[in-house]
Amino acid sequence: MKKPNFLFIGADRCGSKSMHNVLNQHPNCYVPAIADPYFFDKKYDRGFKWYHNFFKNTSDIHIAIGELSHDYIHSKLAAKRIYDYNPDIKLIITLRNPIDRTYSSYASAYSAGVINESFENAIDNVPMLIENSLYADKLDYYLSIFKKEQIKILLFDDLVSDPILFYKDLFIFLKLPFIENINYK
C-alpha cells in the first residue's frame, strides 16, 4: 500500500464531486470510492489503520494517490495533522466566488430539508453559510505551514468554463499524463 501524496482540502460547493469523478477515472491516480473521508478533521480518532484501509488497493501504476475532504480547509488542527503526516504532501484547493458558493450551499441545504427558511433569513441564522466562503485567513494558515509550491489553487469558474484546461492544469501539478478518454464533465 502506498500512502496519499495529495489531498483536496476544500472548499465545499467548489467542484469536489466533479474532481473526484475525474480523478477516479484516471488510470494513474488512486482515490478511494468514498469521497470526503474527513480523517484529518472529524475522524482522526479512528486511527491510521482505519485511514490507510482506504488506500489498500493502490499499486505501482498509481502516481497520484489521495483523497478529497472539502472541510479540511476550515480546520487548523487538520492542517497540523496533515503536515505531521506528510510535510511534503500536495494540497489542492478550489475557490468559488464567495457569494455563489454561499448561495449554492444554501440551495443544497434547503433542498435536503436541512434549512427551511429563506436565503435572506438563513444568512442571519446559519453563520456557516458565510463563514465557509471566507477563504483568506484559512489559506494564509495553510500557506504558513506548507510551501506554496505544494498548494495548487484552482478556480471553480475555470472548471465551469473549460473543464479540460482545468484538469490539464491539475494533472500537471499531480504529475499525471493527460488522458483523452475521460469524461471531464
Side-chain angles (χ1 to χ4, degrees), residues 164-177:
I164 291 176
L165 189 59
F166 177 93
Y167 285 111
K168 281 183 177 180
D169 192 23
L170 177 61
F171 291 169
I172 289 168
F173 179 67
L174 295 176
K175 299 188 183 332
L176 291 169

Side-chain angles (χ1 to χ4, degrees), residues 1-179:
M1 181 206 80
K2 294 180 173 183
K3 289 183 178 181
N5 56 23
F6 80 88
L7 298 173
F8 173 86
I9 63 171
D12 64 316
R13 311 304 303 165
C14 295
S16 61
K17 284 182 182 61
S18 169
M19 187 178 296
H20 184 268
N21 181 47
V22 168
L23 292 174
N24 194 42
Q25 294 175 68
H26 197 293
N28 301 115
C29 184
Y30 184 89
V31 291
I34 181 174
D36 300 317
Y38 299 123
F39 175 68
F40 290 102
D41 58 352
K42 299 174 183 170
K43 298 179 183 174
Y44 196 72
D45 61 330
R46 294 188 181 187
F48 287 107
K49 184 176 181 182
W50 177 85
Y51 183 61
H52 290 154
N53 195 47
F54 287 108
F55 306 98
K56 66 183 178 187
N57 295 323
T58 59
S59 73
D60 289 339
I61 67 164
H62 298 118
I63 298 166
I65 300 162
E67 55 107 338
L68 295 80
S69 292
H70 58 69
D71 283 354
Y72 291 160
I73 193 171
H74 304 298
S75 172
K76 288 182 177 181
L77 183 57
K80 290 176 187 172
R81 289 172 173 167
I82 293 165
Y83 184 84
D84 289 343
Y85 178 73
N86 180 355
D88 298 318
I89 201 161
K90 292 181 176 186
L91 303 175
I92 303 162
I93 300 167
T94 305
L95 303 178
R96 185 175 187 175
N97 175 302
I99 295 168
D100 295 341
R101 199 226 62 84
T102 299
Y103 188 78
S104 177
S105 184
Y106 163 78
S108 176
Y110 186 85
S111 69
V114 175
I115 295 176
N116 296 311
E117 56 190 322
S118 70
F119 179 63
E120 292 77 13
N121 290 339
I123 291 294
D124 293 330
N125 298 327
V126 185
M128 186 175 70
L129 287 174
I130 292 178
E131 288 170 6
N132 284 2
S133 296
L134 303 176
Y135 312 121
D137 292 345
K138 296 161 187 178
L139 284 173
D140 283 347
Y141 188 75
Y142 272 87
L143 287 165
S144 75
I145 296 175
F146 294 92
K147 298 175 204 154
K148 70 177 181 179
E149 308 82 61
Q150 290 174 251
I151 301 176
K152 182 66 173 174
I153 299 173
L154 300 164
L155 301 177
F156 179 79
D157 286 349
D158 293 340
L159 171 61
V160 172
S161 67
D162 192 340
I164 291 176
L165 189 59
F166 177 93
Y167 285 111
K168 281 183 177 180
D169 192 23
L170 177 61
F171 291 169
I172 289 168
F173 179 67
L174 295 176
K175 299 188 183 332
L176 291 169
F178 180 74
I179 305 289

